[in-house]
Amino acid sequence: MNLKVLEKQAQEEIYHIQSLKDLENWRVKYLGRKSELSLFFDSLKKLPLKQRKAKGSQANEIRLILTSLYQQKKKKLESQTTTYHFFDITRPGQKLSKGHLHPITLVLNEITRSFEKLGFEIILGPEIETEYYNFDALRIPDNHPARDMWDTFWLKSKIKNQKSKLLLRTHTSPMQIRYMEKHEPPFRIIVPGKCFRFEATDNHHEFQFHQIEGLMVDDNITLANFKFIIEEVIKDIFKNQVELRFRPSYFPFVSPGLEVDIKLKNKPKGQWLEIMGAGMVHPDLFETVKYPKNMWQGFAFGLGVERIAMIKYGINDIRLFFNPDIRFLEQF
Ligand code: DAH
């Protein structure tokens, strides 16, 4: 047998091999126990030592070459099969689910944007308030019957010499005082934020909710200014499909005081729904913040954000807003 011919033949064959199965056949044929090469080694045993060495070393060299060829080819074929992935470009993509804004945030954003268009500045205030700003400065002294309107979460303060008791604000109105203490008119602001009341819950009452306080102070402000601005904003939010009603009411920090109701035009038989308290800022408040007497007038209002959201989206239970039920939240 000509070893050189054998080597050449083996090399040519392995070059064309494309599968691991064919490669295995090739291995059996050229390196297996019954291969020509193995039979050749067996035949060497019968030769005297000298000849055995000479012929043996040539055959050994060929065996090393073929073994190395085999290993390289095997590596190559294996790497091809493992990196080959089928990619179906027609398969529909997987939708990435991303979060979205809470309905209250959506309504808050919409209302504040509407006021911004009319030149109102957005101011934020603390959720932990003092009794002074939440009540006294707004003409609601201790034992005043009007305090009953605002059932309160009182806080135990560890601050030494705390003059005024701490509480969770029951409304956003305290920011009227805080803002006026530091700013001179004319100005127009809104104060969106969370409020808390120590109240039993039902479908129209929650112990936490959002309000938007409004305050505009200038010279020569009247209820006509208030009416115009509120009509603009409410019609903007309800795409003009709404009627408004202004009705006298009482709040200690305004005089006169009023309430605003709305009715949806597509529900003419529906009832009037209250959405805010309002009024002309009481002169005592101006005195409290040390504005000169009889110089300024202003209107103030407090808008219930959950109420607006409930009317806008037809929601009948305020508790849904604070309930993390994904089936409810996914509708917005
Ligand atoms: N703070 C009042 C409340 O929570 C709402 C309110 C009424 C705000 C009249 C005002 C106002 O600014 O003028 O019930």
Side-chain angles (χ1 to χ4, degrees):
M1 188 197 60
N2 188 330
L3 288 176
K4 276 283 161 207
V5 173
L6 184 78
E7 183 194 343
K8 209 166 169 234
Q9 190 185 330
Q11 282 189 351
E12 251 167 48
E13 272 179 37
I14 202 170
Y15 179 77
H16 294 290
I17 283 175
Q18 294 296 342
S19 73
L20 283 166
K21 197 174 156 238
D22 290 347
L23 183 65
E24 177 59 11
N25 291 337
W26 180 93
R27 189 192 64 80
V28 171
K29 182 172 170 189
Y30 291 103
L31 294 166
R33 265 192 299 134
K34 289 186 178 143
S35 65
E36 278 188 65
L37 204 56
S38 291
L39 295 177
F40 178 77
F41 277 115
D42 288 345
S43 72
L44 286 181
K45 287 176 195 158
K46 291 170 201 149
L47 293 177
L49 188 67
K50 253 197 176 167
Q51 286 182 5
R52 207 195 295 173
K53 268 197 172 166
K55 292 199 168 182
S57 77
Q58 192 195 2
N60 236 341
E61 216 171 275
I62 291 176
R63 184 162 64 179
L64 286 176
I65 291 171
L66 295 187
T67 306
S68 140
L69 276 179
Y70 166 77
Q71 280 163 352
Q72 281 171 24
K73 187 79 182 190
K74 191 169 178 223
K75 241 190 197 165
K76 193 172 164 202
L77 288 178
E78 276 173 352
S79 74
Q80 276 172 4
T81 40
T82 48
T83 54
Y84 180 70
H85 291 299
F86 175 69
F87 184 71
D88 179 1
I89 56 161
T90 65
R91 185 177 163 185
Q94 272 180 5
K95 209 174 170 191
L96 288 178
S97 59
K98 53 177 183 176
H100 58 84
L101 296 178
H102 189 277
I104 292 300
T105 312
L106 290 174
V107 171
L108 265 172
N109 288 350
E110 205 174 335
I111 301 172
T112 49
R113 217 171 286 142
S114 205
F115 277 109
E116 271 182 315
K117 282 194 256 177
L118 298 171
F120 281 74
E121 202 181 330
I122 300 170
I123 305 294
L124 299 179
E127 289 175 1
I128 293 179
E129 255 306 353
T130 61
E131 181 180 24
Y132 174 74
Y133 286 110
N134 197 85
F135 290 124
D136 302 285
L138 292 169
R139 305 182 72 249
I140 320 164
D142 202 4
N143 300 323
H144 191 290
R147 276 214 188 181
D148 294 347
M149 286 157 75
W150 296 279
D151 297 309
T152 307
F153 286 109
W154 294 95
L155 302 176
K156 281 183 189 151
S157 171
K158 288 189 175 157
I159 305 168
K160 281 214 175 104
N161 307 323
Q162 173 78 37
K163 279 196 210 100
S164 184
K165 282 197 284 179
L166 294 181
L167 48 81
L168 294 180
R169 69 174 171 196
T170 60
H171 51 179
T172 42
S173 303
M175 273 311 283
Q176 291 188 29
I177 304 292
R178 284 186 182 275
Y179 189 84
M180 287 195 290
E181 279 178 343
K182 296 209 169 108
H183 298 85
E184 289 293 314
F187 58 76
R188 46 186 110 169
I189 59 164
I190 52 168
V191 188
K194 216 180 213 183
C195 307
F196 308 84
R197 285 189 201 171
F198 185 53
E199 251 180 327
T201 59
D202 62 31
N203 60 350
H204 274 90
H205 296 89
E206 253 294 4
F207 63 85
Q208 52 182 344
F209 55 91
H210 297 79
Q211 283 190 340
I212 295 180
E213 192 77 14
L215 180 64
M216 178 168 181
V217 181
D218 206 327
D219 53 6
N220 233 349
I221 292 285
T222 71
L223 278 180
N225 302 106
F226 168 72
K227 195 162 176 263
F228 172 80
I229 283 181
I230 290 308
E231 276 176 356
E232 281 297 298
V233 170
I234 297 300
K235 284 182 175 166
D236 193 17
I237 293 162
F238 287 95
K239 312 264 179 294
N240 218 6
Q241 293 307 303
V242 75
E243 280 178 77
L244 285 95
R245 181 172 82 175
F246 298 81
R247 162 170 70 75
S249 183
Y250 170 77
F251 297 95
F253 34 95
V254 281
S255 176
L258 52 130
E259 269 168 276
V260 181
D261 304 332
I262 60 170
K263 189 153 91 170
L264 295 178
K265 278 189 188 162
N266 62 3
K267 284 193 186 149
K269 290 213 182 90
Q271 355 165 351
W272 288 97
L273 303 159
E274 184 196 322
I275 55 164
M276 73 172 86
M280 294 303 290
V281 178
H282 197 287
D284 285 0
L285 268 63
F286 292 145
E287 203 183 315
T288 300
V289 300
K290 305 198 168 62
Y291 285 174
K293 247 197 158 113
N294 298 328
M295 187 148 167
W296 307 109
Q297 306 84 46
F299 65 76
F301 59 88
L303 183 78
V305 180
E306 276 76 4
R307 297 241 64 199
I308 300 278
M310 287 169 81
I311 299 166
K312 194 174 159 76
Y313 296 123
I315 295 165
N316 56 16
D317 194 333
I318 191 174
R319 291 168 294 192
L320 286 166
F321 291 123
F322 295 95
N323 181 343
D325 187 336
I326 211 82
R327 291 167 303 177
F328 169 72
L329 295 172
E330 268 176 354
Q331 297 174 59
F332 300 94

